[in-house]
Amino acid sequence: MSNDRHQGSARGGGQPAVIAIDGPAASGKGTLAKRLAAHFRYAHLDTGKLYRGVGVAVLRSGGDPSDAAAAERAARSLDAAGLDDARLRTAEAGAAASKVAAHPGVRAALLALQRDFARRPPGGAAGAVLDGRDIGTVICPDAPTKLFVTASVEARAERRLKELQASGAAAIYAAVLQDLIERDHRDSTRSAAPLKPAEDAIVLDTTHLDADATFAAAIAAMTSRNT
Ligand code: DC
């Protein structure tokens, strides 16, 4: 599989190549981001983890994720190296993340870290893959490659249910579906950097695609656009 920009042309001492991936929860964007990063040997940043880290920090301190001042304080003191905590992957952390993410002060506090990652990918990588909700629209609006990964809310709920069950968590479909509907609503109707495709994004609907087919579709779309 070839792709001109990502197979070397951006490495001649210029800007690092950036792949911006956005989409709703459980759309498959995280798996795709990891696969593309491994394929091109780029560094990968799951930006949802930053918001989850802030949400969990607020909960740990006994605060309310809807409280802008508490959330902003947590965002300013976030330890980006300490985001491997299993609690970050829980449904509770996802809901808290979606609440803290609506505060403009939280988003501002996390902006430089994300842009620095894209400008200077760690480990000397020639490029970076960032996935989240506003990468193509706000964090890296000049990224040459933007993907918007989506799927029906029912397909996403099935996937999230399987993930939760595989991790040993008790979960029922109706509750997972409801959680995603609420999260989609919060993430796409907030005034600060709402979830939406960038105008120049390639939209991939993964409702009927597994991880391999999603990866193949992304590479094919990038190659035909030559991004
Ligand atoms: O991708 P995720 O489920 O880990 O994200 C958790 C929440 O964080 C999501 O509901 C909205 C927020 N988020 C955001 O607002 N902007 C990002 N770039 C990434 C995540």
Side-chain angles (χ1 to χ4, degrees), residues 80-119:
L83 299 175
D84 283 327
D85 185 342
R87 188 169 172 192
L88 262 57
R89 292 193 290 275
T90 63
E92 179 202 28
S98 162
K99 288 179 190 160
V100 299
H103 305 306
V106 168
R107 307 199 73 82
L110 301 178
L111 186 75
L113 189 159
Q114 297 172 80
R115 286 205 177 138
D116 284 351
F117 189 99
R119 275 196 205 118

Side-chain angles (χ1 to χ4, degrees), residues 23-115:
S27 57
K29 68 184 186 308
T31 304
L32 176 62
K34 281 193 205 105
R35 298 270 302 255
L36 288 173
H39 181 74
F40 293 117
R41 302 206 172 132
Y42 289 172
H44 170 226
L45 180 64
D46 166 4
T47 65
K49 261 195 183 180
L50 304 174
Y51 294 91
R52 286 170 181 263
V54 174
V56 167
V58 173
L59 294 176
R60 279 217 173 96
S61 66
D64 176 357
S66 301
D67 173 353
E72 199 175 321
R73 261 195 315 276
R76 293 197 181 286
S77 54
L78 184 74
D79 173 12
L83 299 175
D84 283 327
D85 185 342
R87 188 169 172 192
L88 262 57
R89 292 193 290 275
T90 63
E92 179 202 28
S98 162
K99 288 179 190 160
V100 299
H103 305 306
V106 168
R107 307 199 73 82
L110 301 178
L111 186 75
L113 189 159
Q114 297 172 80
R115 286 205 177 138

Side-chain angles (χ1 to χ4, degrees), residues 5 18 26 37 43 48 59 66 73 84 86 105 113 123 179 181 209-210 217:
R5 178 184 299 276
V18 174
L59 294 176
S66 301
R73 261 195 315 276
D84 283 327
L113 189 159
D179 178 63
I181 290 171
L209 304 182
D210 65 11

Side-chain angles (χ1 to χ4, degrees), residues 3 5-7 9-11 14-22 33 36-37 40 42-45 47 114-122 125-131 134-147 200 202 222 226-227:
N3 183 280
R5 178 184 299 276
H6 297 291
Q7 295 294 10
S9 62
R11 295 175 195 182
Q15 294 288 315
V18 174
I19 302 179
I21 307 185
D22 293 302
L36 288 173
F40 293 117
Y42 289 172
H44 170 226
L45 180 64
T47 65
Q114 297 172 80
R115 286 205 177 138
D116 284 351
F117 189 99
R119 275 196 205 118
R120 282 181 293 278
V129 182
L130 287 83
D131 74 273
D134 63 340
I135 308 302
T137 50
V138 175
I139 305 296
C140 302
D142 298 329
T145 305
K146 298 180 186 175
L147 302 172
D200 50 348
I202 297 167
M222 286 163 62
N226 198 16
T227 67

